């Protein structure tokens, strides 16, 4: 039985899909920054683009895992804002029952529909101040976002997210609030608690009585707070305190855990302080579901003292008198980061060792029962890999954010067992899904005649037959709706699919008339397919040594983003161009026709041959091998940036590197002379260009002239 049904249109997609647009409105004249949100986003700075937090692409077949499997992955390149790193994560369930991952990015907050865990759909993202760290919390339909880089308390209304609409409400700067490292919202009390802020190193209290106009009502500054959780108790669990109360558990840099009674915002009282041996950065923690124990990690004890990944246990049955219950470890050297608790399991995002799952049913004998390593390169203590995990979606799916690899949508049922019937879905309306007390699932046939949905947009009034198959006999000719690109739909009554989602012929990408292929990028002109959403694939057709083993690898062009070149003496305005990265999963979108796009990626190496083709949305969904005619692009040899420079502009690369053409052309560009090769061609770093032609580029061309090997990493492969 399908416990939560995807939209019919979305159910036909495969891979990662971009859906919808983001509208913006101001709800209050006193809220700062409401108005134009620029959902196509500003270009990243060169420094941000070159941050060394990127992971190698994760091959699910080779990843180190136990009891956890990959439903899907959404790479950073699938988000419209073209982020260079990811950070925090949260989840949201819409009133319609659809499940969403709220993904922290350095450029924005991404919103991904994960209702069908195998087919995540990128709804869009909302830009914020560029910041390597940001944090997300949810209160009703409103997402609240903070960042170390500033921007206040940003608010995004998700009331219409099921239709692809994200409403940016603006940002609150109440009381002078501008930045924070983390935020926690106690949804029972209606108060938000940003911490490590510009107002105080402790925490700030926002009253969310009017959710669209948060107001600062208090601050606490007895210690530096890195993160916190805040909960309500019906009967306050410490002596001398009668009735209900609200308690904050704060994790403080250099000083351990502070427990604060925050019931009276005008008189918040610290009731306990716990420290421990080797304390460095008490980072983050969570209460067990019975609230007897607080589990937390220290982000600094691995690097400072050589400890393995360690989780500390604090008995907090009496919150005024906590006492330690020991700790547990899996023996790995990676740094612990953020954890969540679901039932009898602690799910920890521990940077380079990825997601780790521990059975905490016996708190004195904690056992690791599952893991999925999102960062397969190593498990050493480094700030790379898994940032956070969210484990509270009703479907049981666990979502994990990764600094360099984006969003992972994971199936943890083998490690944890099922918790509820919804985790046992076999995506068949004609079976009854049951989670048994021992954590195993059963799927039994439903009674014949039970109403069902066969998943086809053009049929209706389905009924289950005796074999558990949904049979629909009626035709619904107006069922196709809701897609701005293809509306109005018409149904193909023979196939049961909307015409927009059929596997149709499409136009191929075009070859630029004046731009030549360079040693580390592929240029193409976007095809003109005005009524069809398409994916553009790149096949690594013929590669030089030592990359031959990656020949035949299929990758996909990500959403384009604008890069502004730094102006030179001869530039009246800074020139710009569209760039894109490659993804291992299809990125389906409506492309504006006739745009020149430069694809930069480690998979693109000098002296290679690449085949670029287009395929329709319906072909991706049905996995039908139907592609446009191919566009073949050859990259020039390493360091070969021009051919003949006795004419202006210089001719195409001529498969040789010499002093009088290539080196002179780069030197002229370095000197900002009109006889140069041009900034895009002369900036020969294999990554996204840093927009500057400098002595490094000159030196690299000299290396190529001397016959030295290509000095950068090449393709990494795909699952």
């Amino acid at each position: 039985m399908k416990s939560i049904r995807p939209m019919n249109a979305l159910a036909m997609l495969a891979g990662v899909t971009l859906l919808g647009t983001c509208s913006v409105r101001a709800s209050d004249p006193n809220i700062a920054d409401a108005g134009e949100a620029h959902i196509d986003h500003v270009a990243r700075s060169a420094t941000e683009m070159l941050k060394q937090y990127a992971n190698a692409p994760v091959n699910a077949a080779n990843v180190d895992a136990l009891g956890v499997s990959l439903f899907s992955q959404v790479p950073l390149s699938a988000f419209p804002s073209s982020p260079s790193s990811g950070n925090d994560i949260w989840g949201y369930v819409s009133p319609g029952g659809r499940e969403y991952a709220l993904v922290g990015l350095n450029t924005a907050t991404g919103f991904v529909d994960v209702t069908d865990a195998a087919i995540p759909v990128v709804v869009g993202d909302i830009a914020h101040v560029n910041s390597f760290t940001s944090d997300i919390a949810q209160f009703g339909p409103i997402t609240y976002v903070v960042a170390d880089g500033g921007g206040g308390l940003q608010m995004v209304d998700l009331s219409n997210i099921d239709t692809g609409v994200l409403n940016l409400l603006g940002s609150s700067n109440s009381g002078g609030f501008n930045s924070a490292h983390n935020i926690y919202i106690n949804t029972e009390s209606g108060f938000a608690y940003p911490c490590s802020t510009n107002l105080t190193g402790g925490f700030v209290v926002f009253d969310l009585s009017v959710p669209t106009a948060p107001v600062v009502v208090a601050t606490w500054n007895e210690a530096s707070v890195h993160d916190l959780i805040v909960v309500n108790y019906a009967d306050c669990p410490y002596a001398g305190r009668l009735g209900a109360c609200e308690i904050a558990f704060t994790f403080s840099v250099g000083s351990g855990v502070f427990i604060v009674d925050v019931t009276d915002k005008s008189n918040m009282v610290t009731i306990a302080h716990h420290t421990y041996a080797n304390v460095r950065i008490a980072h983050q923690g969570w209460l067990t579901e019975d609230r007897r124990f607080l589990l937390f990690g220290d982000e600094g004890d691995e690097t400072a003292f050589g400890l393995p990944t360690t989780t500390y246990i604090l008995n907090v049955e009496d919150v005024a008198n906590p006492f330690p219950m020991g700790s547990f470890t899996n023996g790995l050297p990676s740094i612990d980061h953020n954890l969540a608790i679901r039932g009898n399991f602690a799910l920890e995002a521990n940077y380079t060792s990825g997601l780790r799952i521990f059975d905490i049913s016996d708190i004195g004998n904690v056992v690791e029962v599952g893991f999925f390593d999102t960062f397969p390169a190593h498990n050493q203590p480094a700030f790379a890999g898994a940032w956070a995990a969210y484990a509270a979606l009703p479907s049981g799916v666990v979502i994990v954010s990764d600094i360099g690899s984006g969003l992972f949508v994971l199936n943890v049922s083998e490690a944890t067992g099922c918790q509820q019937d919804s985790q046992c879905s076999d995506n068949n309306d004609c079976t009854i899904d049951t989670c048994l007390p021992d954590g195993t699932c059963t799927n039994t046939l439903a009674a014949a005649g039970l109403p069902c949905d066969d998943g086809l947009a053009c049929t209706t009034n389905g009924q289950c037959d005796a074999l558990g198959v949904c049979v629909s006999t009626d035709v619904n000719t107006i069922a196709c709706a809701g897609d701005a690109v293809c509306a109005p739909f018409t149904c193909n009554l023979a196939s049961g699919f909307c015409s927009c989602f059929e596997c149709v012929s499409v136009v191929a990408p075009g070859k630029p008339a004046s731009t030549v292929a360079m040693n580390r990028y592929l240029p193409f002109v976007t095809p003109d397919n005005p009524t069809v959403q398409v994916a553009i694939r790149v096949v690594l057709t013929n590669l030089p040594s030592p990359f031959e083993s990656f020949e035949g690898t299929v990758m996909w062009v990500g959403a384009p983003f604008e890069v502004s070149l730094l102006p030179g003496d001869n530039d009246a305005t800074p020139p710009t161009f569209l760039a894109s990265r490659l993804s291992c999963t299809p990125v389906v979108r409506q492309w504006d026709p006739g745009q020149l796009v430069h694809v930069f990626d480690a998979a693109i190496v000098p002296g290679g041959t690449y085949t670029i083709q287009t395929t329709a949305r319906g072909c991706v969904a049905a996995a039908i091998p139907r592609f446009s005619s191919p566009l073949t692009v050859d990259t020039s040899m390493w360091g070969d940036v021009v051919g003949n420079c006795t004419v202006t502009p210089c001719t195409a690369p001529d498969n040789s590197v010499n002093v009088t053409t290539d080196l002179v052309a780069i030197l002229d560009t370095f000197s900002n002379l009109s006889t140069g090769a041009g900034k895009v061609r002369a900036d020969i770093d294999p990554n996204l260009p840093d927009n500057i032609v400098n002595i490094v580029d000159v030196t690299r061309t000299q290396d190529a002239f001397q016959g030295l090997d290509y000095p950068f990493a090449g393709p990494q492969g795909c699952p």
Side-chain angles (χ1 to χ4, degrees):
M1 175 177 170
K2 287 174 277 189
S3 56
I4 299 178
R5 173 167 297 283
M7 297 178 185
N8 286 325
L10 301 181
M12 300 178 201
L13 300 180
V16 179
T17 304
L18 292 172
L19 174 71
T21 58
C22 304
S23 66
V24 182
R25 64 181 177 86
S27 64
D28 189 300
N30 296 318
I31 299 297
D33 300 327
E36 187 67 32
H38 294 298
I39 304 306
D40 23 332
H41 300 85
V42 297
R44 295 169 294 165
S45 68
T47 301
E48 189 65 27
M49 287 188 284
L50 297 174
K51 276 184 179 289
Q52 297 301 305
Y53 292 101
N55 297 356
V58 174
N59 186 330
N62 299 325
V63 74
D64 192 15
L66 172 68
V68 182
S69 57
L70 179 68
F71 278 126
S72 56
Q73 180 187 357
V74 180
L76 296 175
S77 60
F79 292 97
S81 62
S82 302
S84 59
S85 61
N87 47 70
D88 199 43
I89 196 164
W90 202 251
Y92 174 66
V93 181
S94 72
R98 303 194 68 79
E99 297 184 351
Y100 295 89
L102 282 50
V103 185
L105 308 165
N106 69 300
T107 52
T109 304
F111 298 86
V112 183
D113 187 336
V114 293
T115 310
D116 186 336
I119 310 175
V121 178
V122 177
V123 179
D125 57 14
I126 294 289
H128 57 60
V129 173
N130 199 313
S131 178
F132 182 66
T133 56
S134 65
D135 200 22
I136 310 161
Q138 191 75 24
F139 185 55
I142 298 180
T143 303
Y144 295 85
V145 181
V146 297
D148 275 328
L153 180 61
Q154 188 184 65
M155 296 164 286
V156 183
D157 185 357
L158 305 187
S159 297
N160 296 308
I161 191 172
D162 285 354
T163 61
V165 177
L166 309 171
N167 285 330
L168 174 62
L169 303 179
S171 298
S172 173
N173 299 107
S174 173
F177 177 82
N178 184 49
S179 66
H181 187 68
N182 280 305
I183 184 172
Y184 186 89
I185 294 178
N186 182 359
T187 56
E188 290 186 78
S189 69
F191 288 94
Y193 295 85
C195 60
S196 190
T197 75
N198 66 296
L199 298 179
T200 174
F203 61 81
V204 172
V205 185
F206 273 92
D207 184 348
L208 303 182
S209 298
V210 181
T212 57
V215 178
V216 171
V217 295
T219 60
W220 183 91
N221 57 8
E222 294 181 26
S224 174
V225 177
H226 182 273
D227 208 342
L228 76 167
I229 59 172
V230 188
V231 297
N232 281 9
Y233 288 90
D235 295 304
C236 206
Y238 71 95
R241 188 72 160 85
L242 301 178
C245 63
E246 185 177 13
I247 302 296
F249 300 85
T250 77
F251 308 96
S252 301
V253 177
S255 51
V257 177
F258 287 83
I259 303 176
V260 186
D261 186 337
V262 296
T263 311
D264 181 355
K265 304 302 182 288
S266 65
N267 185 31
M268 297 185 292
V269 179
T270 301
I271 57 177
H273 174 215
H274 169 73
T275 189
Y276 50 94
N278 298 325
V279 61
R280 292 291 288 181
I281 305 172
H283 184 266
Q284 182 267 355
W286 211 261
L287 288 166
T288 56
E289 292 193 351
D290 60 10
R291 297 190 179 177
R292 295 179 61 201
F293 306 105
L294 180 71
L295 275 57
F296 67 95
D298 188 306
E299 195 179 27
D301 55 2
E302 293 87 1
T303 53
F305 305 110
L307 298 180
T309 310
T310 302
T311 304
Y312 299 94
I313 307 168
L314 195 63
N315 185 304
V316 292
E317 292 175 281
D318 179 351
V319 293
N321 293 286
F323 60 91
M325 296 284 292
S327 62
F328 60 87
T329 180
N330 57 9
L332 294 177
S334 60
I335 299 169
D336 50 76
H337 200 215
N338 291 302
L339 67 88
I341 290 177
R342 186 176 79 187
N344 291 324
F345 299 92
L347 298 95
E348 302 186 358
N350 289 343
Y351 279 129
T352 57
S353 61
L355 176 71
R356 319 301 294 197
I357 302 176
F358 297 89
D359 185 339
I360 58 173
S361 56
D362 180 356
I363 204 67
N365 184 31
V366 174
V367 179
E368 185 175 67
V369 294
F371 54 84
F372 187 96
D373 192 351
T374 65
F375 186 84
H378 61 76
N379 292 326
Q380 295 306 306
F383 297 101
W387 186 286
Y390 184 83
L393 292 174
S395 65
V397 167
V398 171
I399 47 180
V400 175
S401 57
D402 185 278
I403 295 173
S405 293
L407 169 67
F408 288 85
V409 185
L410 301 177
N411 178 4
V412 301
S413 59
E414 185 180 342
T416 64
C418 60
Q419 310 277 317
Q420 50 192 328
D421 293 345
S422 63
Q423 293 176 252
C424 297
S425 173
D426 60 356
N427 288 321
N428 183 356
D429 276 351
C430 296
T431 59
I432 299 172
D433 309 320
T434 306
C435 178
L436 300 178
D438 65 356
T440 59
C441 291
T442 63
N443 307 101
T444 56
L445 290 180
L450 185 75
C452 60
D453 184 348
D454 64 4
L456 300 180
C458 301
T459 60
T460 188
N461 296 329
Q463 292 186 341
C464 296
D465 66 12
L467 299 177
V469 177
C470 185
V471 179
S472 299
T473 56
D474 296 336
V475 172
N476 179 6
T477 58
I478 60 171
C480 301
D483 192 294
V485 174
C486 301
F489 284 142
T490 56
C491 287
N492 182 327
L493 303 184
S495 68
F497 287 97
C498 299
S499 59
C500 177
F501 300 104
E502 292 185 299
C503 186
V504 297
S505 298
V506 289
V507 176
K511 190 168 186 177
S514 59
T515 302
V516 295
M518 291 303 300
N519 51 54
R520 84 299 181 245
Y521 72 74
L522 298 180
F524 70 89
V525 176
T526 54
D528 187 3
N529 295 290
T531 62
V532 183
Q533 291 184 337
V534 300
I536 300 176
R537 79 169 182 178
V538 175
V539 181
L540 282 56
T541 307
N542 192 342
L543 300 181
S545 177
F547 307 119
E548 300 98 320
S549 62
F550 295 101
E551 291 179 351
T553 298
V554 175
M555 303 187 76
W556 302 84
V557 178
F561 51 95
E562 187 175 89
V563 175
S564 296
L565 298 176
L566 295 180
D569 294 339
N570 296 328
D571 295 325
T573 59
T576 62
F577 67 96
L578 285 179
S580 183
R581 291 288 200 183
L582 293 179
S583 167
C584 286
T585 52
V587 178
V588 181
R589 68 190 311 273
Q590 182 71 30
W591 291 84
D592 292 331
Q595 292 185 310
L596 176 60
V597 177
H598 297 81
V599 181
F600 295 82
D601 198 85
I604 300 170
V605 296
T609 299
Y610 298 82
T611 303
I612 308 176
Q613 292 174 287
T614 308
T615 188
R617 180 177 183 171
C619 304
V620 174
I624 299 172
R626 184 173 184 176
F627 292 90
S628 70
S629 57
L631 169 65
T632 301
V633 179
D634 296 320
T635 54
S636 57
M637 68 182 296
W638 168 236
D640 180 20
V641 295
V642 294
N644 178 14
C645 282
T646 61
V647 296
T648 302
C650 299
T651 61
D654 57 2
N655 208 35
S656 66
V657 181
N658 58 61
V659 173
T660 58
T661 56
D662 300 292
L663 186 55
V664 169
I666 285 188
L667 284 169
D668 286 351
T669 306
F670 174 55
S671 302
N672 200 39
L673 300 178
S674 59
T675 52
K679 291 177 182 175
V680 176
R681 295 166 64 178
D683 178 18
I684 62 175
D685 188 291
N687 298 306
L688 197 64
D690 59 9
N691 309 334
I692 302 171
V693 177
N694 56 27
I695 196 64
V696 175
D697 301 297
V698 175
T699 302
R700 289 300 186 193
T701 307
Q702 289 178 319
D703 291 345
F705 173 67
Q706 294 171 2
L708 301 183
D709 290 337
Y710 182 63
F712 302 104
Q716 301 295 319
C718 283

